[in-house]
Amino acid sequence: MSIKKTVVITGAAGLIGTSFCNAVASNGYNLVIADNNEERSELLAAEIRSHGHEAHACIFDATRADDIQRLLNASLERFGNIYALVNNLYIRSGNYGADFFDVTYEDFSKNLSDNVTPYFELSKRFARHFCDSKTGVIVNIASVYGAIAPRFDIYANTNMTMPVEYSAIKSAILHLTRYMAKRLKGYNIRVNAISPGGILDGQPEAFLNAYNDNCLSKGMLSPEDLCGTLLFLLSDQSRYINGQNIIVDDGFTL
Ligand SMILES: NC(=O)c1ccc[n+]([C@@H]2O[C@H](COP(=O)([O-])OP(=O)(O)OC[C@H]3O[C@@H](n4cnc5c(N)ncnc54)[C@H](O)[C@@H]3O)[C@@H](O)[C@H]2O)c1
């Protein structure tokens, strides 16, 4: 009998993470829900288990290296193996969404260290484990705005913008993906990224209309629309895809 593979998803209790968790657990993986929101994580784990799947909530703070190590140890203890890490979390500071000229040195620095450093530290510690077990998959969730300059016009007449630090964070994550894929040569470890376009979450109609005009069919996507790509990157079907970024955006970036 083959061992059930374990997938650790960070930011798992959020909008996209919840869909990822349902998809991963219902496709036969052991699931670790790694998030700092205890209530939502435990609820999600209980719901997934009620459908007969394996799910364990591990509450951790991604800005603490000791918590990252505790997550790794707890996942191994609970399921006996770790096959994949999905870096999905995003830490939103109080000043998220400020206009370019209003972003301070301190805000910019804090946002970068809060969001790039955990992806690095999680990947480094899990990759060390994958090197020992000679197998592993890392999937980084980036964004279309790591790949292209913002379409500022779609934010006109709304109180939204595309923050400069978000673009910097997501492009850093895309390049970290390439760096790690190459650095881990020889260990049977794959590191890839998914760059989603905008995800439906109660945005104002004016914004949705402007956004959807740039797309080819549906427009802004639902979290479930990303799950097929994640399952593909976790599976052997993507065995020779490494260091790549798959954009899932209904053509928004074309
Ligand atoms: N929503 C979108 O439109 C969209 C589009 C493109 C890319 N993305 C990316 O997809 C990913 C998921 O986005 P989302 O919209 O589901 O975000 P979300 O805000 O709904 O979820 C983020 C999760 O991270 C958790 N978290 C926050 N700080 C943490 C910490 N210090 N330690 C551990 N967990 C912490 C939160 O509790 C939350 O459950 C992010 O990387 C985001 O940048 C989102």
Side-chain angles (χ1 to χ4, degrees):
M1 202 178 76
S2 63
I3 296 171
K4 238 178 136 178
K5 293 171 171 171
T6 304
V7 177
V8 178
I9 303 182
T10 70
L15 178 68
I16 294 173
T18 298
S19 263
F20 280 171
C21 286
N22 285 314
V24 162
S26 62
N27 274 271
Y29 295 99
N30 298 320
L31 169 69
V32 178
I33 296 168
D35 203 288
N36 70 348
N37 187 315
E38 183 167 5
E39 194 186 344
R40 276 192 287 131
S41 300
E42 294 291 359
L43 268 175
L44 181 59
E47 196 199 312
I48 289 173
R49 283 195 296 263
S50 76
H51 294 292
H53 308 307
E54 292 287 350
H56 173 68
C58 185
I59 310 311
F60 88 119
D61 179 354
T63 62
R64 297 180 49 131
D66 55 344
D67 258 23
I68 291 175
Q69 191 60 42
R70 194 172 51 75
L71 166 66
L72 194 154
N73 296 343
S75 305
L76 275 176
E77 227 166 81
R78 176 67 183 78
F79 290 121
N81 77 83
I82 303 172
Y83 166 70
L85 167 70
V86 182
N87 278 315
N88 167 70
L89 59 84
Y90 191 84
I91 302 175
R92 210 167 273 215
S93 78
N95 294 334
Y96 180 87
D99 179 61
F100 175 70
F101 288 108
D102 298 327
V103 176
T104 63
Y105 184 101
E106 290 74 20
D107 281 345
F108 190 85
S109 305
K110 178 159 173 45
N111 273 288
L112 259 81
S113 71
D114 272 0
N115 285 289
V116 180
T117 310
Y119 273 56
F120 160 72
E121 191 66 27
L122 276 149
S123 300
K124 185 188 70 184
R125 287 176 189 254
F126 278 68
R128 193 165 280 151
H129 169 75
F130 295 153
C131 285
D132 292 341
S133 55
K134 290 261 184 313
T135 184
V137 172
I138 297 174
V139 180
N140 291 323
I141 306 306
S143 161
V144 289
Y145 283 138
I148 63 159
R151 299 203 191 289
F152 288 111
D153 52 318
I154 64 175
Y155 299 97
N157 308 318
T158 75
N159 59 2
M160 301 157 65
T161 186
M162 176 38 57
V164 62
E165 62 274 26
Y166 190 80
S167 293
I169 288 160
K170 292 305 186 179
S171 59
I173 286 168
L174 286 178
H175 209 66
L176 205 53
T177 303
R178 298 180 193 104
Y179 182 104
M180 288 190 299
K182 207 148 185 187
R183 175 62 182 80
L184 299 169
K185 179 180 176 181
Y187 290 100
N188 192 29
I189 298 171
R190 295 188 297 111
V191 189
N192 290 297
I194 299 174
S195 285
I199 301 299
L200 285 164
D201 190 23
Q203 291 91 346
E205 201 179 332
F207 173 76
L208 284 178
N209 290 337
Y211 182 98
N212 292 350
D213 267 354
N214 287 278
C215 297
L216 306 182
S217 59
K218 180 176 178 178
M220 199 162 266
L221 301 179
S222 308
E224 293 72 30
D225 296 324
L226 306 172
C227 292
T229 308
L230 176 65
L231 292 173
F232 171 65
L233 286 177
L234 291 176
S235 79
D236 280 351
Q237 300 288 318
S238 59
R239 187 174 311 159
Y240 299 111
I241 297 181
N242 206 344
Q244 302 304 308
N245 173 35
I246 301 186
I247 293 179
V248 184
D249 70 344
D250 192 25
F252 177 79
T253 47
L254 285 178

